[in-house]
Amino acid sequence: MIHCVKKAFPTLLVLYEIIMCSKAAESIQADIPTAPPEMGSTLSMEVTTITATSTQEQYQQPPPTPNPVRHDTKIELGATNITKYHHNFGHLNRSKPHFPMPGSRFAGPFFEEGSEVTNVTARVGSTINLECRIGLLGDKTVTWTQRRNENINILTVGRNTHSKDERFHLAFRYPNNYRLQISYVTRRDEGMYECQVATHPPKVKKTFLEISAPEVKIVDESIREVHERYYYEGSSLLLTCLATSVGFSENEPDTDIISWKHGENLLSEGSRLNVTAETSSAVSTLTITPLEKIHSGNYTCSVGNLAETTVAVHVLNGELPAAVQTAGVHFKSSNSFLLLVIATLWSLLR
């Protein structure tokens, strides 16, 4: 029968199916629990937000990638050239090139102790080393020169010695110490020495060498320096030698630091020595009694081979001229100690 109705009333059948579907939909909606208004609004907003975002992402075009920009950084280290390449990709972090600062150690050869003037003190007769440590030397040449007044003497070039004075030579010490060695230092070695590196302009390290030597003089009872003395025959001779800036080795006084000679003969008896290591001073007294004519002559007080002084002694057997000073006095040990104290104070006040 339904089949016959479909053929007779097709339009009516379509209406019937629509009504039945509508009723079925209403029955299904009645079975689902109703959500609160707020939740429905939230869900609606979330759905809207997600939809908008999805839509935006769907139509968003990726930004174009910029062409890389190449930066060349050239760093010069001594005789070595190093080139670095940096690529800049726009939105990425940019790498800045690092250049050596003017005067930087990494800009070329440099003096490890700095380029300031160095003061060095040496004693007469000793051996001294003048240091010159150079970093990043590369293929540059090192030269030592000595300045004396307006004269410049070339001492060494590279590792070769060019001085005619055999006391000067280069005592190179691995890896980079071009030190100049001077043997048997004399007073004339005092002055300015320069260690030069052959750059443009030349780099120079200056060292001033100061020479110290003992000072020796023969004094009388008033600590006045004398060069001539007169005595009566039969009296006693007493000479006092005052030496300062002696410079004892390792603070150990040498009992033979001061010696006496009569003419060319070394005197082994009659002298007494008092030393003060803290002030590098010494006092030596020579006593001869009784005096005879043979004791006349030159008496020399010396500190090794470093310094010496001489006094002329005259022994007379008659009356002395009015202008002649007599000195026939015996000094006790307390007087010798007094001279040592005075010598110490004198060296401290110099």
Side-chain angles (χ1 to χ4, degrees), residues 112-113 131-135 137 159 170-180:
E112 292 187 357
E113 288 84 4
E131 311 291 337
C132 185
R133 295 182 177 88
I134 306 173
L137 179 61
R159 298 192 186 183
L170 187 78
F172 179 81
R173 189 167 187 177
Y174 182 85
N176 60 353
N177 190 356
Y178 285 77
R179 63 180 183 180
L180 178 68

mmCIF file of all heavy atoms in Angstrom, residues 112-113 131-135 137 159 170-180:
data_model
loop_
_atom_site.group_PDB
_atom_site.id
_atom_site.type_symbol
_atom_site.label_atom_id
_atom_site.label_comp_id
_atom_site.label_asym_id
_atom_site.label_seq_id
_atom_site.Cartn_x
_atom_site.Cartn_y
_atom_site.Cartn_z
ATOM 1 N N GLU A 112 107.387 41.921 27.753
ATOM 2 C CA GLU A 112 106.603 41.295 28.814
ATOM 3 C C GLU A 112 106.665 42.096 30.108
ATOM 4 O O GLU A 112 105.711 42.088 30.891
ATOM 5 C CB GLU A 112 107.085 39.865 29.050
ATOM 6 C CG GLU A 112 106.785 38.931 27.889
ATOM 7 C CD GLU A 112 107.119 37.493 28.209
ATOM 8 O OE1 GLU A 112 107.635 37.236 29.317
ATOM 9 O OE2 GLU A 112 106.849 36.614 27.367
ATOM 10 N N GLU A 113 107.770 42.781 30.392
ATOM 11 C CA GLU A 113 107.887 43.593 31.608
ATOM 12 C C GLU A 113 107.399 45.024 31.395
ATOM 13 O O GLU A 113 107.526 45.851 32.287
ATOM 14 C CB GLU A 113 109.344 43.640 32.104
ATOM 15 C CG GLU A 113 109.847 42.344 32.712
ATOM 16 C CD GLU A 113 110.355 41.376 31.654
ATOM 17 O OE1 GLU A 113 110.368 41.786 30.468
ATOM 18 O OE2 GLU A 113 110.720 40.243 31.997
ATOM 19 N N GLU A 131 117.703 42.202 31.460
ATOM 20 C CA GLU A 131 116.666 41.346 30.887
ATOM 21 C C GLU A 131 115.903 42.068 29.783
ATOM 22 O O GLU A 131 115.684 43.285 29.844
ATOM 23 C CB GLU A 131 115.689 40.896 31.974
ATOM 24 C CG GLU A 131 116.343 40.330 33.227
ATOM 25 C CD GLU A 131 117.015 38.993 32.981
ATOM 26 O OE1 GLU A 131 116.626 38.322 32.011
ATOM 27 O OE2 GLU A 131 117.914 38.620 33.755
ATOM 28 N N CYS A 132 115.457 41.276 28.777
ATOM 29 C CA CYS A 132 114.609 41.810 27.711
ATOM 30 C C CYS A 132 113.776 40.655 27.150
ATOM 31 O O CYS A 132 114.183 39.978 26.201
ATOM 32 C CB CYS A 132 115.452 42.461 26.600
ATOM 33 S SG CYS A 132 114.458 43.272 25.318
ATOM 34 N N ARG A 133 112.595 40.443 27.753
ATOM 35 C CA ARG A 133 111.694 39.366 27.314
ATOM 36 C C ARG A 133 110.674 39.935 26.349
ATOM 37 O O ARG A 133 109.989 40.906 26.657
ATOM 38 C CB ARG A 133 110.998 38.739 28.520
ATOM 39 C CG ARG A 133 111.938 38.032 29.470
ATOM 40 C CD ARG A 133 111.161 37.390 30.623
ATOM 41 N NE ARG A 133 112.037 36.659 31.511
ATOM 42 C CZ ARG A 133 112.673 37.186 32.548
ATOM 43 N NH1 ARG A 133 112.519 38.488 32.810
ATOM 44 N NH2 ARG A 133 113.453 36.460 33.317
ATOM 45 N N ILE A 134 110.571 39.299 25.170
ATOM 46 C CA ILE A 134 109.724 39.822 24.089
ATOM 47 C C ILE A 134 108.730 38.753 23.675
ATOM 48 O O ILE A 134 109.108 37.612 23.392
ATOM 49 C CB ILE A 134 110.586 40.245 22.881
ATOM 50 C CG1 ILE A 134 111.676 41.228 23.324
ATOM 51 C CG2 ILE A 134 109.713 40.866 21.797
ATOM 52 C CD1 ILE A 134 112.666 41.563 22.248
ATOM 53 N N GLY A 135 107.450 39.129 23.645
ATOM 54 C CA GLY A 135 106.413 38.227 23.176
ATOM 55 C C GLY A 135 106.013 38.533 21.744
ATOM 56 O O GLY A 135 106.097 39.676 21.284
ATOM 57 N N LEU A 137 107.372 37.874 18.882
ATOM 58 C CA LEU A 137 108.450 38.528 18.137
ATOM 59 C C LEU A 137 108.353 38.254 16.643
ATOM 60 O O LEU A 137 108.647 39.125 15.827
ATOM 61 C CB LEU A 137 109.809 38.069 18.678
ATOM 62 C CG LEU A 137 111.039 38.655 17.983
ATOM 63 C CD1 LEU A 137 111.068 40.169 18.117
ATOM 64 C CD2 LEU A 137 112.316 38.042 18.546
ATOM 65 N N ARG A 159 121.147 37.337 17.697
ATOM 66 C CA ARG A 159 121.831 36.562 18.736
ATOM 67 C C ARG A 159 123.347 36.646 18.604
ATOM 68 O O ARG A 159 124.078 35.859 19.212
ATOM 69 C CB ARG A 159 121.391 35.094 18.688
ATOM 70 C CG ARG A 159 119.903 34.900 18.946
ATOM 71 C CD ARG A 159 119.572 33.443 19.189
ATOM 72 N NE ARG A 159 118.133 33.230 19.303
ATOM 73 C CZ ARG A 159 117.573 32.068 19.573
ATOM 74 N NH1 ARG A 159 118.340 30.993 19.770
ATOM 75 N NH2 ARG A 159 116.266 31.936 19.645
ATOM 76 N N LEU A 170 125.563 38.486 24.313
ATOM 77 C CA LEU A 170 124.155 38.151 24.458
ATOM 78 C C LEU A 170 124.042 36.771 25.100
ATOM 79 O O LEU A 170 124.489 35.773 24.543
ATOM 80 C CB LEU A 170 123.445 38.158 23.106
ATOM 81 C CG LEU A 170 121.929 37.983 23.198
ATOM 82 C CD1 LEU A 170 121.276 39.292 23.618
ATOM 83 C CD2 LEU A 170 121.343 37.507 21.875
ATOM 84 N N ALA A 171 123.413 36.728 26.271
ATOM 85 C CA ALA A 171 123.184 35.462 26.977
ATOM 86 C C ALA A 171 121.711 35.096 26.807
ATOM 87 O O ALA A 171 120.914 35.217 27.751
ATOM 88 C CB ALA A 171 123.572 35.587 28.451
ATOM 89 N N PHE A 172 121.332 34.655 25.582
ATOM 90 C CA PHE A 172 119.930 34.356 25.282
ATOM 91 C C PHE A 172 119.436 33.213 26.161
ATOM 92 O O PHE A 172 120.127 32.216 26.371
ATOM 93 C CB PHE A 172 119.764 33.973 23.811
ATOM 94 C CG PHE A 172 118.352 33.620 23.432
ATOM 95 C CD1 PHE A 172 117.434 34.626 23.166
ATOM 96 C CD2 PHE A 172 117.940 32.303 23.368
ATOM 97 C CE1 PHE A 172 116.129 34.309 22.820
ATOM 98 C CE2 PHE A 172 116.643 31.976 23.024
ATOM 99 C CZ PHE A 172 115.732 32.986 22.748
ATOM 100 N N ARG A 173 118.214 33.408 26.659
ATOM 101 C CA ARG A 173 117.591 32.384 27.495
ATOM 102 C C ARG A 173 116.237 32.007 26.901
ATOM 103 O O ARG A 173 115.371 32.862 26.716
ATOM 104 C CB ARG A 173 117.412 32.894 28.927
ATOM 105 C CG ARG A 173 116.979 31.797 29.894
ATOM 106 C CD ARG A 173 117.115 32.278 31.327
ATOM 107 N NE ARG A 173 116.860 31.208 32.270
ATOM 108 C CZ ARG A 173 116.962 31.318 33.580
ATOM 109 N NH1 ARG A 173 117.325 32.489 34.097
ATOM 110 N NH2 ARG A 173 116.707 30.309 34.376
ATOM 111 N N TYR A 174 116.085 30.729 26.576
ATOM 112 C CA TYR A 174 114.862 30.241 25.935
ATOM 113 C C TYR A 174 113.665 30.501 26.845
ATOM 114 O O TYR A 174 113.772 30.370 28.065
ATOM 115 C CB TYR A 174 115.011 28.738 25.652
ATOM 116 C CG TYR A 174 113.832 28.126 24.947
ATOM 117 C CD1 TYR A 174 113.740 28.190 23.561
ATOM 118 C CD2 TYR A 174 112.822 27.502 25.668
ATOM 119 C CE1 TYR A 174 112.658 27.627 22.915
ATOM 120 C CE2 TYR A 174 111.744 26.944 25.026
ATOM 121 C CZ TYR A 174 111.657 27.014 23.645
ATOM 122 O OH TYR A 174 110.583 26.460 23.003
ATOM 123 N N PRO A 175 112.499 30.902 26.309
ATOM 124 C CA PRO A 175 112.203 30.978 24.872
ATOM 125 C C PRO A 175 112.336 32.373 24.258
ATOM 126 O O PRO A 175 112.420 32.491 23.043
ATOM 127 C CB PRO A 175 110.738 30.536 24.830
ATOM 128 C CG PRO A 175 110.160 31.064 26.107
ATOM 129 C CD PRO A 175 111.267 30.946 27.131
ATOM 130 N N ASN A 176 112.335 33.449 25.064
ATOM 131 C CA ASN A 176 112.243 34.778 24.445
ATOM 132 C C ASN A 176 113.008 35.855 25.207
ATOM 133 O O ASN A 176 112.677 37.033 25.082
ATOM 134 C CB ASN A 176 110.773 35.193 24.331
ATOM 135 C CG ASN A 176 110.085 35.261 25.688
ATOM 136 O OD1 ASN A 176 110.651 34.875 26.703
ATOM 137 N ND2 ASN A 176 108.865 35.743 25.710
ATOM 138 N N ASN A 177 114.009 35.479 26.006
ATOM 139 C CA ASN A 177 114.734 36.457 26.814
ATOM 140 C C ASN A 177 116.059 36.811 26.132
ATOM 141 O O ASN A 177 117.028 36.040 26.193
ATOM 142 C CB ASN A 177 114.986 35.909 28.217
ATOM 143 C CG ASN A 177 115.511 36.972 29.167
ATOM 144 O OD1 ASN A 177 115.749 38.105 28.762
ATOM 145 N ND2 ASN A 177 115.708 36.623 30.419
ATOM 146 N N TYR A 178 116.093 37.987 25.515
ATOM 147 C CA TYR A 178 117.313 38.479 24.867
ATOM 148 C C TYR A 178 118.087 39.314 25.892
ATOM 149 O O TYR A 178 118.152 40.537 25.799
ATOM 150 C CB TYR A 178 116.958 39.318 23.643
ATOM 151 C CG TYR A 178 116.505 38.513 22.449
ATOM 152 C CD1 TYR A 178 115.220 37.991 22.405
ATOM 153 C CD2 TYR A 178 117.357 38.249 21.391
ATOM 154 C CE1 TYR A 178 114.789 37.239 21.322
ATOM 155 C CE2 TYR A 178 116.941 37.504 20.300
ATOM 156 C CZ TYR A 178 115.650 36.997 20.277
ATOM 157 O OH TYR A 178 115.240 36.249 19.206
ATOM 158 N N ARG A 179 118.669 38.653 26.859
ATOM 159 C CA ARG A 179 119.337 39.380 27.943
ATOM 160 C C ARG A 179 120.793 39.675 27.592
ATOM 161 O O ARG A 179 121.496 38.855 27.003
ATOM 162 C CB ARG A 179 119.259 38.590 29.248
ATOM 163 C CG ARG A 179 119.961 37.255 29.233
ATOM 164 C CD ARG A 179 119.812 36.575 30.576
ATOM 165 N NE ARG A 179 120.541 35.315 30.598
ATOM 166 C CZ ARG A 179 120.586 34.509 31.663
ATOM 167 N NH1 ARG A 179 119.952 34.852 32.767
ATOM 168 N NH2 ARG A 179 121.269 33.389 31.616
ATOM 169 N N LEU A 180 121.201 40.876 27.971
ATOM 170 C CA LEU A 180 122.572 41.319 27.753
ATOM 171 C C LEU A 180 123.368 41.088 29.031
ATOM 172 O O LEU A 180 122.953 41.507 30.117
ATOM 173 C CB LEU A 180 122.592 42.800 27.382
ATOM 174 C CG LEU A 180 123.965 43.424 27.178
ATOM 175 C CD1 LEU A 180 124.648 42.849 25.937
ATOM 176 C CD2 LEU A 180 123.849 44.945 27.072
#
